[in-house]
Amino acid sequence: MARPHKPLLSRERIVETAGALVDAEGVEAVSTRRLAAELGVSGPSLYHHFRTKDEILDAVADAVQAEVDLSMFDDRPPADDWGWDTALHAWGVAYRSTLTAHPHIVPVLAKGPGRRPAGLRVADAVFGAMVRAGWPPAQATSIGALMRYFITGSALGSFALGFVDDRTAYDPADYPHLGQAHLLAERQEQVDERAFETGLRAIIDGLRVQFEATTGQHG
């Protein structure tokens, strides 16, 4: 009787399996032994595709960045309601949405794109769109850095979940302004989304002022 067919081991299968482990249990769950068991192969066979665990995590991070929508940076005819600022806002929301769906890989992404192709495409798209809009290259680079700091930072953890849902933790004698802090955790999504949107709009509003001062154009 023929043996049951096993799918061939490939980089794609390894990355998909490692990504599922990271999403479920965090980066600490990824090891060659664990991956080999999940894939039904011997540990050494993984080394034909990846030399180290860090290489695997890099590939998982790149697969996540490949999910980020970049269509808002496509070169398009000018429109009254669509400029660099609108595109930057749309991308910021899309990027954070992708990262919050894969929170455990964010610390790896926060280190920068390195040699990862999808990560470099993200950097290229943001920089290219800002330069096309009229930003000087040095400032376009700073905008890309600023957005990465803000978006990855917002996805590293929840502000609201940093407060316990125990009213007694916030004695008014010690914390007179935290009487409602115990309610933040149960409103986590609303609080964190509103905080992100507030920060993103503040950044882009400030950039509009800089853009006009630098170029004489309106954002």
Side-chain angles (χ1 to χ4, degrees):
M1 182 180 294
R3 294 181 178 179
H5 174 70
K6 287 186 177 180
L8 293 175
L9 188 62
S10 64
R11 286 180 64 92
E12 291 73 19
R13 279 192 69 210
I14 296 169
V15 172
E16 182 180 353
T17 302
L21 278 176
V22 171
D23 284 345
E25 302 178 36
V27 295
E28 298 81 6
V30 177
S31 68
T32 53
R33 178 178 296 181
R34 178 75 183 276
L35 278 175
E38 295 283 337
L39 290 162
V41 299
S42 63
S45 63
L46 298 177
Y47 295 116
H48 293 298
H49 301 278
F50 295 99
R51 293 174 297 175
T52 65
K53 171 183 172 176
D54 285 344
E55 283 190 2
I56 296 171
L57 291 177
D58 247 11
V60 171
D62 208 43
V64 168
Q65 283 202 293
E67 297 177 13
V68 179
D69 182 15
L70 298 175
S71 63
M72 65 286 296
F73 293 129
D74 291 345
D75 204 3
R76 63 181 79 197
D80 291 341
D81 60 346
W82 194 266
W84 65 266
D85 47 352
T86 306
L88 202 61
H89 183 276
W91 172 70
V93 172
Y95 195 7
R96 181 175 181 272
S97 178
T98 298
L99 296 191
T100 54
H102 306 280
H104 297 307
I105 201 65
V106 173
V108 179
L109 288 167
K111 296 175 183 177
R115 296 176 180 272
R116 298 191 295 266
L120 291 170
R121 280 193 292 272
V122 170
D124 182 74
V126 177
F127 178 81
M130 296 304 103
V131 171
R132 283 198 309 272
W135 282 98
Q139 286 180 280
T141 298
S142 296
I143 291 169
L146 166 65
M147 295 296 287
R148 182 166 69 83
Y149 297 152
F150 176 65
I151 296 166
T152 56
S154 75
L156 280 172
S158 164
F159 173 81
L161 292 181
F163 294 84
V164 298
D165 60 355
D166 178 2
R167 183 192 294 269
T168 64
Y170 309 102
D171 187 329
D174 295 321
Y175 315 109
H177 306 296
L178 296 182
Q180 301 297 308
H182 65 286
L183 300 175
L184 289 173
E186 69 181 49
R187 301 171 184 173
Q188 179 247 329
E189 185 173 350
Q190 177 187 2
V191 171
D192 290 347
E193 290 289 338
R194 188 170 56 207
F196 177 77
E197 182 65 23
T198 298
L200 183 59
R201 288 189 179 278
I203 288 170
I204 293 175
D205 286 348
L207 288 174
R208 288 193 189 102
V209 174
Q210 289 187 37
F211 184 72
E212 186 171 352
T214 300
T215 68
Q217 303 177 52
H218 293 285

